[in-house]
Every structure is written in C-alpha cells, then in structure tokens.
Amino acid sequence: MTEPGRDLAVPPGPGLPSGATIPATELVERFSRSAGPGGQSVNTTDSRVELLFTPATSTAFTDDQRRRIVSRLGEGAISVVASERRSQLRNRAAARERLVEILRGALAPPPPPRVPTKPSKAARRRRVDAKKRRGQTKALRGRVRGE
C-alpha cells in the first residue's frame, strides 16, 4: 500500500520491468466534501480526494514509456477520484492505488496478434457431410405422394 503524501511507487510489471517511482511533487491532490457515507461528519470533512497526474511532463518514466502512456491515455492530466471511504486518508490511498493500476494498464505491451488458422481437411469433410444429411432430412419433409 502506498502512503499518501509521499512518492508513489509503481511496482514492476509488463512494460515496466524495473518499476518506477513518481515523485510527490508531480502528484496534485484536491480535497472536497464527499457525497458518500459518513453520517453527520460528511458535511464538515473534506474526505473526497481527486488525484491529478500529468504523464507527459513526468520524470519517472523513460521516453518510450512516456510515449506509450500518452498515446493510450491522452496528453492531459489523469484524474482519479476516490470518495467511497469515510476517511480522507483511506480515500487518498485508494486514489493512489487506482492511479497505479491505470498506469500499469497503459504501460502493458499490446497482446500478440492472432495467428489465423484454417480448418483441417477432415473437419471440412465432416461439415459438408453434416450439411448433406441435414438437407436430406429436410427433403423428406415434403408431401406424401401416394402411388
């Protein structure tokens, strides 16, 4: 779990072999009143957290990683909102975890392309035989002719 107010550690994964650390100076946190649970204190505490991060100007990633993030998520700032907890501290931690997941998804390389295959000769033969059997069944459904 990442500690709010400190540098954000992004663990290693696909597209990020050695992990990364986003400096706390590159993260902007805004607080406001949450519409979620909290009882009487919901009207007095700023427990909703909005975490902003601009990957285009970040020093935490290499040029290639930055390009990949920007191409997938856009030029502007990434905004993550958390308001499901009653505590501001827990919402800050939840927002940081979501940002890490978004960045890891954007950094992951694309899946390998599908290699097209074709049915085997036996499979094609079975398909044609089944079509013929079905056609014969339907042909026998005609009127009964008495001779």
Side-chain angles (χ1 to χ4, degrees):
M1 185 170 145
T2 61
E3 194 172 325
R6 299 219 173 160
D7 294 347
L8 179 62
V10 182
L16 193 62
S18 59
T21 302
I22 300 172
T25 56
E26 295 182 6
L27 299 171
V28 177
E29 289 180 319
R30 294 184 191 159
F31 306 104
S32 60
R33 293 199 176 135
S34 176
Q40 293 176 337
S41 68
V42 78
N43 297 325
T44 59
T45 59
D46 292 342
S47 60
R48 179 181 178 268
V49 177
E50 182 179 8
L51 182 64
L52 299 168
F53 173 65
T54 308
T57 59
S58 176
T59 59
F61 302 105
T62 64
D63 289 336
D64 290 337
Q65 291 169 342
R66 201 173 309 110
R67 251 184 258 116
R68 183 177 278 172
I69 292 172
V70 168
S71 70
R72 291 190 178 170
L73 299 178
E75 284 284 329
I78 301 169
S79 174
V80 179
V81 177
S83 64
E84 66 273 1
R85 308 272 187 205
R86 293 177 185 218
S87 156
Q88 185 188 85
L89 190 66
R90 286 186 176 177
N91 282 333
R92 288 173 79 182
R96 289 169 151 265
E97 288 172 12
R98 283 190 208 143
L99 179 62
V100 167
E101 291 304 314
I102 289 169
L103 292 173
R104 287 188 66 163
L107 284 167
R114 180 186 168 275
V115 178
T117 58
K118 64 180 192 178
S120 66
K121 203 173 206 178
R124 287 194 302 255
R125 192 177 311 118
R126 283 193 302 269
R127 181 178 149 271
V128 170
D129 289 345
K131 287 170 74 84
K132 284 182 182 175
R133 276 195 308 275
R134 185 74 176 145
Q136 288 170 350
T137 302
K138 288 187 170 190
L140 293 173
R141 289 183 187 162
R143 289 184 172 249
V144 178
R145 297 184 191 142
E147 292 188 47

